[in-house]
Amino acid sequence: QVQLVESGGGLVQAGGSLRLSCAASGITSILNLMGWCRQAPGKQRELVASIARGGNTNYADSVKGRFTISRDNTKNTVYLQMNSLKSEDTAVYYCNAVHYFTYWGQGTEVTVSS
């Protein structure tokens, strides 16, 4: 059973940066697709960014140019570097992985104060 554990959330001022990490365990293969979604209060969960095992990336328009997703296949770990944070980035950020099934982390909270 694949387990995903996120870390790196917290409180930051607008314009600041945070780096989220998500480590997968319970699997020896390289996960096909890893990514981040977020859910703000009262809103639906939305894709933030994803990265395939080969390195191809995909970003939501709202974070392009500010967020960078990367991964370390030797550790089955995915990262999200978030720069120039805005108050509208405030949400619970969930790591997810797709490898025949879809797996989710427990979420880490990011709060951006204006």
Side-chain angles (χ1 to χ4, degrees), residues 87-101:
S87 57
E88 50 262 45
D89 295 317
T90 295
V92 178
Y93 284 71
Y94 297 91
C95 173
N96 74 300
V98 179
H99 193 80
Y100 304 108
F101 300 97

Side-chain angles (χ1 to χ4, degrees), residues 9-104:
L11 173 65
V12 65
Q13 288 189 330
S17 299
L18 280 176
R19 188 188 193 217
L20 306 182
S21 300
C22 172
S25 62
I27 185 169
T28 56
S29 303
I30 299 173
L31 291 163
N32 287 334
L33 186 71
M34 301 186 77
W36 295 90
C37 294
R38 66 186 180 187
Q39 188 165 18
K43 295 188 177 181
Q44 290 188 330
R45 191 173 296 189
E46 62 175 359
L47 172 71
V48 176
S50 63
I51 183 167
R53 59 186 294 169
N56 288 338
T57 58
N58 182 46
Y59 294 93
D61 287 343
S62 59
V63 307
K64 282 181 181 176
R66 300 188 298 122
F67 291 10
T68 302
I69 190 169
S70 60
R71 63 187 290 172
D72 183 341
N73 287 340
T74 66
K75 300 177 181 179
N76 259 337
T77 298
V78 64
Y79 307 95
L80 186 68
Q81 178 67 43
M82 304 186 293
N83 299 328
S84 302
L85 283 161
K86 305 175 181 179
S87 57
E88 50 262 45
D89 295 317
T90 295
V92 178
Y93 284 71
Y94 297 91
C95 173
N96 74 300
V98 179
H99 193 80
Y100 304 108
F101 300 97
T102 299
Y103 304 94
W104 292 93

